[in-house]
Amino acid sequence: MSGGKVVDYNTWSKEDLIDKIRKLEIHVTQLRNVINNKSNKPTSFETDHLDHPRKRLKLEGGDDDDTRLENQPCSSHKKDKAKVHRKFDFSTVAMRHVALKILYLGWDYQGLAAQEDTDETIEAHLFKALTMTKLIEERTKSNYHRCGRTDKGVSAFSQVISIDLRSKTVDGQETMDYCKILNRTLPKEIKVTAWSPVQPDFSARFNCSRRTYKYFFPKGNLNIEKMLRGARYLVGEHDFINFCKLDKDLRSTVRKIFSVSINKSCHSANGIDNMYDIYHLEINGASFVWHQIRCIVGILLLVGQELEEPEVVQKLLDHCQKPQYAMAIDYPLVLYDVDYPADSEVKWTYTPENMTCLLSQMQNLWVEFAIKSEMILNIVKDIENLTGTRKPSMTESLIMGTKRKNYVKILDRPVCGNYERLK
């Protein structure tokens, strides 16, 4: 039941029903975790012995200095305990409106937007860092906007937010190193790469003129040329209702795509056998509807597998109702870049110290994943050599849902009953 209305699941496709069940299972797991966390919270009796900071340090393995302090007379303990932590007074500090550029690897997070039943979102960690560092008092007073909302598992190399932050200037120059301050507190998968002063009315979302997404995938047995032919039909202004999931608040599914390309990654595997080469689809547009990129990739992968002709993309753009099909999975998708017009006056500040530290952290992550990837590839090669068999259709795992035993052409499938073109 949603909004007092009974949902007619008979009109849903098999893929949509599976997706709904998966989401409900995740939701149940998250609620169980919330309940368990509350039931496992220690009582005041259990934590009384940790009230004093010196006792806490000793119990956690403090050094000799901490042990000596622990053995000081009780009077000093009482004096320390009498100290009251003063609340930070935001009325005494200056605030300024800034834009922050944020990088995050979203594979292990539940999406960008904060949620009531989990703290494992990008925004939850971001606002925790912002409040801990006293850069903001609270979210509701921060004049916050985000450029684009990314879903569970999706990453971003250039997500942008606009927000009011605490400021301290000397001779007109900002002395607060926002990137350094926040990155000390943020998890290693979430980092602030740059900041810019902006006008008070600047919005990271509404002032953005272009967004670029990339979707990474292996070559496998895909016909890249056919995929590119199909992708070119996307360029221009079209109604993408057959390439999205509808949002109840959506007013229009018409969007404009400026460019589309498919390229081999410059860090792809070398050698004669290119089955394991990594490619990426790059789409640049003004804005996008919910799941638009993943729906597009889902269709283009079918074209690449030569189950559909490139012209199916054009036909879907003109088709009156959405056929039932599965979209691509989440983790290969990244919000790669965003652009703002010159009159927005966004001038990014990258500090050498922050970028050097970030480079080192990302290189360490790359080393870990590159070695693991090469180890798995060696196993795959050994199995291929032992059995004399190969499975070039590895890209099937990139499409959600179960594979059909007998393939049915997209335009011959039943339609989604709840999809009608918005007026």
Side-chain angles (χ1 to χ4, degrees):
M1 190 170 241
S2 177
K5 297 181 180 179
V6 177
V7 178
D8 185 6
Y9 292 108
N10 293 319
T11 63
W12 287 39
S13 68
K14 181 179 178 181
E15 290 79 7
D16 285 339
L17 287 170
I18 292 173
D19 187 42
K20 180 69 173 179
I21 292 171
R22 284 175 174 161
K23 289 180 178 179
L24 289 172
E25 288 176 341
I26 293 172
H27 188 69
V28 169
T29 301
Q30 292 169 346
L31 289 176
R32 284 174 178 165
N33 291 336
V34 171
I35 294 171
N36 289 337
N37 288 338
K38 290 182 178 178
S39 63
N40 293 332
K41 186 177 180 180
T43 64
S44 59
F45 175 80
E46 293 171 327
T47 57
D48 280 346
H49 65 288
L50 295 178
D51 281 346
H52 197 281
R54 298 304 180 190
K55 292 181 180 179
R56 189 182 301 113
L57 285 170
K58 185 176 182 181
L59 288 170
E60 293 174 354
D63 56 24
D64 291 339
D65 289 337
D66 293 319
T67 305
R68 288 196 297 271
L69 285 168
E70 172 63 20
N71 295 326
Q72 286 181 354
C74 294
S75 58
S76 67
H77 283 237
K78 292 179 180 179
K79 185 177 181 180
D80 289 343
K81 199 169 184 178
K83 291 181 179 179
V84 179
H85 179 70
R86 291 191 305 169
K87 185 178 179 180
F88 191 87
D89 187 0
F90 277 88
S91 65
T92 64
V93 300
M95 305 292 288
R96 75 181 307 172
H97 199 48
V98 305
L100 299 179
K101 183 179 287 190
I102 303 170
L103 176 153
Y104 54 84
L105 302 174
W107 310 319
D108 297 325
Y109 292 91
Q110 299 298 314
L112 170 67
Q115 302 172 34
E116 292 183 358
D117 52 5
T118 179
D119 290 331
E120 289 306 306
T121 66
I122 306 300
E123 281 187 352
H125 286 280
L126 180 60
F127 277 95
K128 181 180 179 181
L130 286 166
T131 52
M132 284 181 62
T133 56
K134 300 296 187 290
L135 289 178
I136 66 168
E137 184 174 6
E138 58 182 78
R139 175 170 176 163
T140 56
K141 299 179 181 179
S142 65
N143 192 18
Y144 171 74
H145 285 90
R146 58 188 174 227
C147 178
R149 176 172 176 169
T150 55
D151 291 323
K152 174 182 177 293
V154 179
S155 300
F157 295 171
S158 295
Q159 177 69 267
V160 174
I161 68 168
S162 51
I163 192 168
D164 292 343
L165 297 184
R166 178 164 59 94
S167 172
K168 185 178 181 181
T169 59
V170 176
D171 296 329
Q173 297 296 314
E174 181 63 64
T175 62
M176 303 283 286
D177 190 340
Y178 295 121
C179 299
K180 183 177 180 179
I181 293 170
L182 288 168
N183 288 343
R184 284 174 174 173
T185 307
L186 287 166
K188 64 180 181 180
E189 304 90 354
I190 308 172
K191 296 298 174 185
V192 180
T193 60
W195 77 278
S196 171
V198 290
Q199 296 298 321
D201 61 348
F202 174 85
S203 167
R205 177 185 177 188
F206 297 111
N207 284 85
C208 183
S209 57
R210 291 174 179 247
R211 297 166 173 85
T212 301
Y213 282 88
K214 286 188 178 183
Y215 193 98
F216 293 82
F217 58 91
K219 168 66 167 60
N221 66 340
L222 296 175
N223 187 324
I224 301 298
E225 179 57 35
K226 282 193 172 184
M227 291 178 68
L228 186 55
R229 280 171 50 197
R232 286 172 179 155
Y233 289 113
L234 300 167
V235 177
E237 189 171 87
H238 304 284
D239 188 342
F240 284 93
I241 192 168
N242 292 334
F243 289 94
C244 73
K245 279 200 169 185
L246 287 182
D247 187 330
K248 63 180 180 180
D249 298 323
L250 194 63
R251 296 181 179 179
S252 173
T253 50
V254 175
R255 295 293 186 272
K256 187 173 184 178
I257 302 297
F258 299 116
S259 65
V260 178
S261 63
I262 298 177
N263 301 294
K264 182 190 289 190
S265 172
C266 59
H267 302 292
S268 188
N270 295 320
I272 299 174
D273 184 4
N274 66 351
M275 187 172 74
Y276 296 99
D277 285 349
I278 300 296
Y279 282 71
H280 64 264
L281 170 74
E282 182 173 325
I283 300 183
N284 179 273
S287 62
F288 297 87
V289 283
W290 191 24
H291 287 168
Q292 181 178 340
I293 305 296
R294 291 169 63 189
C295 286
I296 288 171
V297 174
I299 294 297
L300 291 179
L301 288 174
L302 296 177
V303 172
Q305 294 168 15
E306 299 188 331
L307 295 172
E308 299 285 346
E309 292 300 318
E311 289 71 29
V312 72
V313 176
Q314 183 182 36
K315 292 176 181 178
L316 282 171
L317 289 171
D318 299 330
H319 204 54
C320 57
Q321 286 185 294
K322 181 184 179 182
Q324 296 176 6
Y325 68 87
M327 65 181 179
I329 59 176
D330 49 30
Y331 70 84
L333 179 61
V334 56
L335 174 57
Y336 189 75
D337 198 11
V338 297
D339 293 314
Y340 291 92
D343 57 10
S344 294
E345 298 181 355
V346 177
K347 298 177 181 179
W348 296 114
T349 297
Y350 298 88
T351 60
E353 180 184 358
N354 180 58
M355 297 310 291
T356 299
C357 182
L358 180 61
L359 176 61
S360 177
Q361 291 171 335
M362 291 298 111
Q363 284 177 332
N364 290 340
L365 281 176
W366 177 84
V367 168
E368 176 186 349
F369 285 107
I371 290 174
K372 289 179 179 179
S373 175
E374 188 63 25
M375 290 170 68
I376 295 172
L377 184 57
N378 271 258
I379 295 173
V380 171
K381 292 288 187 179
D382 286 346
I383 295 173
E384 288 178 349
N385 293 333
L386 286 170
T387 62
T389 59
R390 305 176 74 192
K391 187 179 180 295
S393 56
M394 65 183 81
T395 52
E396 291 173 357
S397 64
L398 295 178
I399 299 179
M400 296 180 65
T402 56
K403 182 184 176 183
R404 296 170 178 261
K405 292 183 178 179
N406 299 312
Y407 186 77
V408 178
K409 293 287 187 179
I410 289 290
L411 297 179
D412 294 334
R413 298 181 187 181
V415 298
C416 301
N418 56 337
Y419 279 73
E420 296 179 2
R421 292 198 180 272
L422 302 177
K423 303 297 183 183

